[in-house]
Amino acid sequence: NAGVMQNPRHLVRRRGQEARLRCSPMKGHSHVYWYRQLPEEGLKFMVYLQKENIIDESGMPKERFSAEFPKEGPSILRIQQVVRGDSAAYFCASSLNGPPINEKLFFGSGTQLSVL
Amino acid sequence: SQQGEEDPQALSIQEGENATMNCSYKTSINNLQWYRQNSGRGLVHLILIRSNEREKHSGRLRVTLDTSKKSSSLLITASRAADTASYFCATEVNTDKLIFGTGTRLQVFP
């Protein structure tokens, strides 16, 4: 029973390029969360998605960042025109029954984005 | 602003000693969760305590919750070198997302 799969594990981009981060939730999970973590800091919530719907994107920067979770395939976090400040570890998590009232999250191993 | 703040930020102990980490939060909650993160890895769920519970145990872990003080503590007894990791508390906000604290970095020396 595979866990949450994120790829790539490491991603290097030059300023101005696009970064695409992928997340396949655990089998049977239809709720996905994206978090960003800077070195020596906690996780910052970015967005919560269900299949084909964005439920809460209050943590997403208004520009350059977007997320989707299509009916088929993985969830994608897309960062356009990356800047050095986007360098961070991006974690995806999934849950079985939705909002985390008495639900735990299962995390992937993260994608480390480095912007040169 | 952060919903949860852990204290201390860093903790170093010897194997066999107990480690206590504290978490304070700001708004009312339905549950509070603790997670562990090994360096460079994703978070792993440790334990969930509901707002109507005061204490919960899981193996060498003991979690307490004081809703009147808006605080929780995580106790790891008889620590091992393998317990070296960062520990985060998390609370749900607006019922649709978990907000994580700043974390406690625990170092256990053999």
Side-chain angles (χ1 to χ4, degrees):
Chain A
N1 185 17
V4 178
M5 304 300 292
Q6 288 188 249
N7 67 81
R9 189 79 173 88
H10 299 275
L11 182 61
V12 180
R13 285 288 179 265
R14 296 190 181 280
R15 282 179 297 170
Q17 291 185 321
E18 178 179 286
R20 280 183 179 241
L21 288 64
R22 295 174 182 76
C23 168
S24 296
M26 285 187 70
K27 186 176 181 180
H29 288 194
S30 58
H31 302 263
V32 166
Y33 308 79
W34 284 94
Y35 289 84
R36 176 164 66 178
Q37 184 177 36
L38 295 172
E40 308 300 322
E41 293 188 10
L43 276 72
K44 298 287 172 60
F45 169 80
M46 299 182 74
V47 62
Y48 163 37
L49 310 105
Q50 293 180 31
K51 284 284 187 180
E52 300 183 277
N53 288 304
I54 297 174
I55 307 303
D56 185 335
E57 57 181 349
S58 58
M60 289 273 276
K62 298 300 180 190
E63 298 178 350
R64 302 188 298 108
F65 284 72
S66 63
E68 64 176 7
F69 189 17
K71 187 176 180 180
E72 302 291 337
S75 175
I76 305 288
L77 179 66
R78 182 182 178 206
I79 310 172
Q80 295 178 290
Q81 299 175 319
V82 296
V83 300
R84 289 213 173 109
D86 297 332
S87 295
Y90 292 83
F91 289 95
C92 168
S94 71
S95 67
L96 177 63
N97 288 320
I101 298 178
N102 301 325
E103 280 281 321
K104 64 182 182 182
L105 298 186
F106 295 82
F107 279 83
S109 295
T111 293
Q112 179 65 51
L113 173 65
S114 299
V115 180
L116 303 179
Chain B
S1 62
Q2 286 293 126
Q3 162 73 335
E5 297 281 342
E6 280 93 338
D7 171 61
Q9 286 189 320
L11 179 61
S12 295
I13 59 175
Q14 295 290 133
E15 262 192 333
E17 294 181 336
N18 295 341
T20 299
M21 289 158 266
N22 303 296
C23 168
S24 59
Y25 56 92
K26 297 176 182 176
T27 62
S28 60
I29 60 171
N30 291 306
N31 71 64
L32 185 143
Q33 303 184 34
W34 284 91
Y35 286 78
R36 165 196 168 125
Q37 183 182 34
N38 285 67
S39 180
R41 308 297 296 178
L43 277 69
V44 175
H45 180 267
L46 295 176
I47 199 164
L48 180 154
I49 186 166
R50 294 179 171 79
S51 60
N52 60 353
E53 297 175 310
R54 292 296 168 259
E55 188 171 311
K56 202 162 183 178
H57 296 254
S58 176
R60 292 184 297 112
L61 305 180
R62 173 178 167 252
V63 169
T64 63
L65 179 63
D66 187 335
T67 53
S68 66
K69 295 182 180 178
K70 291 187 169 60
S71 67
S72 173
S73 68
L74 170 67
L75 168 67
I76 304 174
T77 60
S79 63
R80 305 165 182 168
D83 294 329
T84 294
S86 292
Y87 293 82
F88 296 91
C89 68
T91 55
E92 104 288 347
V93 174
N94 296 332
T95 75
D96 68 355
K97 55 183 176 280
L98 274 184
I99 302 298
F100 287 83
T102 51
T104 292
R105 292 189 302 280
L106 173 65
Q107 175 79 50
V108 182
F109 292 99

